[in-house]
Amino acid sequence: MTTATPFPTGPISSVSGTTVVVRGDDIDTDRIIPARFLKCVTFDALGPAAFADDRAELAASPAGPHPFDRPEHQGASILLVNRNFGCGSSREHAPQALMRWGIRAVVGESFAEIFYGNCLALGIPCLVADHDTMLAIQAAADADPAASFAVDVAEARLGCGNQTWQLDLAAGPRQMLATGQWDATGQLLANNTALAATAARLPYLSGFAAA
Amino acid sequence: MSSGTLYDKVWDLHQVAQLPGGATQLFIGLHLIHEVTSPQAFAALRDLGLSLRHPERTVATVDHIVPTTSQARPFADPLAEEMLATLEANCAEHGITLHGIGSGRQGIVHVIAPELGLTQPGMTVACGDSHTSTHGAFGAIAFGIGTSQVRDVLASQSLAMGKLKVRRIWVDGQLQSGVYAKDLVLHVIRTLGVKGGVGYAYEFAGPAIAALSMEERMTLCNMAIEGGARCGYVNPDQVTFDYLKGRPFAPSGAAWDQAVAWWSSLASGADAVFDDEVRFDAASIAPTITWGITPGQGIGVDETVPTLEQTEPDERPLAEEAYRYMDLQPGTPIAGTPVDVCFIGSCTNGRLSDLQAAAAVAKGRKVAPGIKAFVVPGSEQVAAAAEAEGLDKVFVEAGFEWREPGCSMCLAMNPDRLEGRQISASSSNRNFKGRQGSASGRTLLMSPAMVAAAAIHGRVSDVRTLLNP
Ligand code: SF4
């Protein structure tokens, strides 16, 4: 189900909303968005396809349905995961699918690097919790799916009612989110002179003529 | 902190500025694009009213969605046709060179850039595809990026990046006959884990690496990403220079000597400092094959599927999931596992030497009854070179299909795919659940020679017994 919540813009100081827990280590990008859905020239239709194969598999099993299909999680904006989430492909289709489903922040034990960077470039903070903290957060979320959680980006904290959990968010991404500069294009274009100077010192750009 | 490594030198040379968020702005020397991850980036550029800073440093091809049977236009799949038409229009609008179907230069992006001499030592190379690490084989710093970053490189020829640590993977000794770069890298990933390389660039070095051909080095660096390392590289040496000499986009004439001098100066020096080092012995590595659902779940072909007791405690849930999904029993030998489909190709193992190794196994033998086996060259150039040697005939006589170049059954974005619970022997790089196009399809990763052996026997078997009967 897609959400009416607007996509992230500007400074991101907090994300609040209900949660959805997707357990398991090494959940790869092909599971987040199966490759057959990548045949598209826009990201528009990806939201409903998030976890499509996992959802289909679980729908038919006694363990099902998948958390993304449970009524209590429709409209959730905080995704709670485990280790090495988003490993595999560099394709931005994975964070795009999650964002278009409604996810605005991810908390997990660890993230694959490219996935993490792709999320940041969309304004979706990925915060890290140690193993025991993560299990406690997931348990609290599952115990009360209707509860609203809040991610405090500046303090790298997750809160729900009177509970809080300390998370980790590196200084760079934290500042980029806080200042609204998580989308790098503007900054990169601003350094026009430095870009030209760097290009001028790379011998392969001048055909090694002046090397 | 590392210093004096090729990674440090190339990083320093390409640094543009420090950004407010703490990241470094890094100049990108070569930007490769393809039909899957570029259309949204071009659309974003259009929305922002931006143009390309260095269209001459951007090169395009089409690979993921192309059918490998008939490549006549329009493609039978209208979505695939739309993706290619969009790429063609974007390249025409922005003045980007597109090596398209029938140009003689089309193929998988990580196969064509090296063979055209576009990829060179000391460059930074980016592409919206995680296997961009392949280009590190030349002593380039090469990594995969997301679509927002593709947009950034198109607009500014640069990226916001954090510097990685550098781990040296030192490999002594020599690979045995029947053991290839694919086995080496599967062994490294099996040992260090799929997350072992997170935060690192891998420098592959040592006698066993120096002895590898450029194509083998590409196979090795291609899968660095499967070990969690965003880039992997090999220091440039005479093997690198010999490979590049005379290629269409390599320097020539007086520039060639200047280039070789510069390239040589970039290799990690004797005084280089690494953040970490791990050592391997090439001679002890057997043909290696995955049994599970991550590239780290690998074993020697003469081993048994690991039991839970043989598995690290924190890897056990994944092992249990893999037993269920793969329908393989812990403790049973992997050799003898029946397969349905045998696929030789991909950016990992779709180059000429890969096809030669597989053809050496297939020659004079027959694919077992009921097995679907097919060979997909990595590029039009690979196809032409293989056909000139008659490899296509060797394969066809043995009962393999000989296809047109593309990504094919490495992933499910074209008509080549597994059906239902089929199990494949595949020379590609990912055995994730559903990767090869069926949500319940299963993949065993191995070298192209091992895939050929599996095709002949209809089951997983040790290629060494066919090579040295
Ligand atoms: S061959 Fe496979 S891994 Fe390589 S670029 Fe194509 S889809 Fe990606």
Side-chain angles (χ1 to χ4, degrees):
Chain A
M1 159 179 157
T2 45
T3 166
T5 315
F7 295 149
T9 50
I12 295 165
S13 54
S14 66
V15 175
S16 48
T18 57
T19 55
V20 55
V21 178
V22 176
R23 286 194 171 78
D25 294 340
D26 306 309
I27 291 183
D28 59 69
T29 48
D30 286 69
R31 286 174 64 188
I32 298 171
I33 182 81
R36 65 180 179 278
F37 294 105
L38 310 188
K39 272 199 271 178
C40 55
V41 292
T42 74
F43 292 127
D44 299 347
L46 294 181
F51 292 112
D53 288 345
D54 283 7
R55 288 160 73 176
E57 185 186 335
L58 277 173
S61 95
H66 189 277
F68 269 48
D69 283 325
R70 291 181 192 269
E72 62 271 29
H73 295 312
Q74 303 310 308
S77 53
I78 302 172
L79 175 62
L80 303 172
V81 298
N82 296 100
R83 285 191 310 171
N84 199 30
F85 186 76
C87 59
S89 154
S90 64
R91 292 182 294 252
E92 197 165 302
H93 302 68
Q96 284 278 356
L98 296 176
M99 179 177 84
R100 284 163 198 277
W101 190 85
I103 298 304
R104 294 292 176 270
V106 193
V107 180
E109 290 176 58
S110 62
F111 297 92
E113 235 164 285
I114 303 181
F115 177 85
Y116 184 98
N118 283 341
C119 283
L120 184 61
L122 297 178
I124 298 177
C126 295
L127 299 99
V128 175
D130 64 48
H131 180 68
D132 293 337
T133 305
M134 198 65 230
L135 296 190
I137 293 170
Q138 289 177 330
D142 273 346
D144 187 3
S148 182
F149 282 60
V151 175
D152 181 330
V153 172
E155 300 296 328
R157 251 200 314 259
L158 179 69
C160 176
N162 54 12
Q163 288 175 288
T164 58
W165 297 274
Q166 187 58 49
L167 309 173
D168 197 28
L169 179 63
R174 194 187 298 209
Q175 189 189 340
M176 289 161 81
L177 290 161
T179 57
Q181 291 181 322
W182 40 269
D183 183 349
T185 319
Q187 290 178 36
L188 296 174
L189 288 169
N191 293 325
N192 196 23
T193 320
L195 271 166
T198 308
R201 69 166 180 259
L202 294 169
Y204 63 85
L205 288 187
S206 54
F208 295 94
Chain B
M1 213 174 72
S2 67
S3 66
T5 69
L6 177 137
Y7 181 83
D8 289 282
K9 294 183 208 179
V10 174
W11 178 272
D12 289 350
L13 272 167
H14 290 80
Q15 268 194 60
V16 176
Q18 292 305 313
L19 298 172
T24 298
Q25 181 172 2
L26 198 69
F27 190 89
I28 299 303
L30 176 63
H31 185 204
L32 303 169
I33 62 171
H34 58 84
E35 74 283 10
V36 183
T37 53
S38 70
Q40 299 88 351
F42 282 109
L45 218 58
R46 220 162 277 133
D47 288 349
L48 297 168
L50 296 169
S51 56
L52 260 67
R53 188 177 175 97
H54 281 285
E56 81 289 359
R57 303 303 308 169
T58 305
V59 178
T61 192
V62 56
D63 48 13
H64 287 65
I65 50 100
V66 299
T68 62
T69 42
S70 163
Q71 297 188 335
R73 299 283 298 275
F75 295 151
D77 176 352
L79 284 173
E81 178 61 28
E82 184 189 4
M83 289 177 85
L84 177 48
T86 304
L87 181 71
E88 288 170 331
N90 284 328
C91 288
E93 180 185 341
H94 295 280
I96 297 166
T97 303
L98 166 64
H99 298 296
I101 291 172
S103 66
R105 293 177 167 182
Q106 176 269 340
I108 305 172
V109 62
H110 311 309
V111 176
I112 70 153
E115 73 187 4
L116 291 172
L118 288 162
T119 305
Q120 296 168 18
M123 283 182 173
T124 45
V125 182
C127 173
D129 188 282
S130 54
H131 293 96
T132 309
S133 59
T134 310
H135 306 264
F138 290 79
I141 299 306
F143 41 78
I145 55 178
T147 296
S148 305
Q149 292 178 305
V150 173
R151 172 202 63 198
D152 290 349
V153 181
L154 291 173
S156 73
Q157 202 62 32
S158 67
L159 279 174
M161 296 286 293
K163 197 175 174 193
L164 299 166
K165 293 185 281 186
V166 185
R167 171 181 292 145
R168 181 159 69 171
I169 310 254
W170 183 270
V171 191
D172 280 310
Q174 213 186 334
L175 293 171
Q176 298 170 33
S177 152
V179 182
Y180 305 87
K182 179 65 158 289
D183 303 299
L184 170 58
V185 72
L186 285 172
H187 182 82
V188 168
I189 299 169
R190 162 195 189 180
T191 310
L192 301 179
V194 291
K195 299 179 276 289
V198 173
Y200 284 95
Y202 278 175
E203 172 172 320
F204 296 101
I209 305 299
L212 296 179
S213 71
M214 283 315 296
E215 297 195 350
E216 293 171 305
R217 293 177 189 185
M218 286 186 241
T219 301
L220 183 64
C221 293
N222 174 275
M223 290 196 68
I225 185 70
E226 305 309 330
R230 195 160 177 189
C231 61
Y233 67 88
V234 177
N235 284 304
D237 60 10
Q238 197 58 44
V239 176
T240 322
F241 309 147
D242 290 347
Y243 177 96
L244 279 169
K245 188 143 199 181
R247 303 233 167 221
F249 292 94
S252 59
W256 172 259
D257 296 325
Q258 302 279 9
V260 169
W262 186 66
W263 295 340
S264 304
S265 74
L266 297 171
S268 298
D271 56 348
V273 178
F274 297 90
D275 297 285
D276 188 32
E277 177 170 283
V278 185
R279 291 187 166 246
F280 289 90
D281 175 20
S284 67
I285 298 171
T288 301
I289 169 171
T290 61
W291 62 270
I293 53 174
T294 80
Q297 290 175 317
I299 51 176
V301 67
D302 39 15
E303 293 177 49
T304 52
V305 174
T307 61
L308 274 191
E309 294 69 44
Q310 292 167 323
T311 306
E312 295 292 331
D314 61 345
E315 298 287 338
R316 284 179 195 166
L318 189 69
E320 288 182 296
E321 195 178 336
Y323 300 145
R324 271 197 306 275
Y325 186 81
M326 297 299 293
D327 200 16
L328 292 174
Q329 297 305 314
T332 56
I334 193 74
T337 306
V339 298
D340 305 303
V341 178
C342 294
F343 167 58
I344 295 170
S346 87
C347 61
T348 312
N349 283 126
R351 298 185 182 78
L352 183 62
S353 59
D354 299 312
L355 306 193
Q356 288 167 335
V361 175
K363 193 173 173 81
R365 299 191 170 101
K366 288 277 181 231
V367 171
I371 303 287
K372 177 187 173 67
F374 61 114
V375 183
V376 186
S379 70
E380 293 182 353
Q381 284 199 52
V382 170
E387 286 167 9
E389 286 184 20
L391 300 185
D392 56 328
K393 295 202 180 58
V394 172
F395 285 121
V396 170
E397 275 162 24
F400 290 82
E401 294 173 45
W402 177 251
R403 298 284 190 85
E404 304 286 338
C407 291
S408 185
M409 212 183 65
C410 178
L411 93 175
M413 287 194 69
N414 53 67
D416 303 336
R417 52 185 56 215
L418 295 179
E419 302 287 341
R421 293 282 292 151
Q422 278 185 332
I423 184 163
S424 78
S426 179
S427 73
S428 56
N429 45 52
R430 285 190 174 143
N431 52 345
F432 298 153
K433 286 174 159 184
R435 168 77 178 183
Q436 292 187 302
S438 158
S440 55
R442 299 169 290 164
T443 303
L444 306 171
L445 301 177
M446 59 190 85
S447 76
M450 282 281 288
V451 176
I456 303 301
H457 289 308
R459 45 191 70 235
V460 173
S461 45
D462 190 337
V463 68
R464 292 174 297 189
T465 61
L466 288 176
L467 290 173
N468 324 299

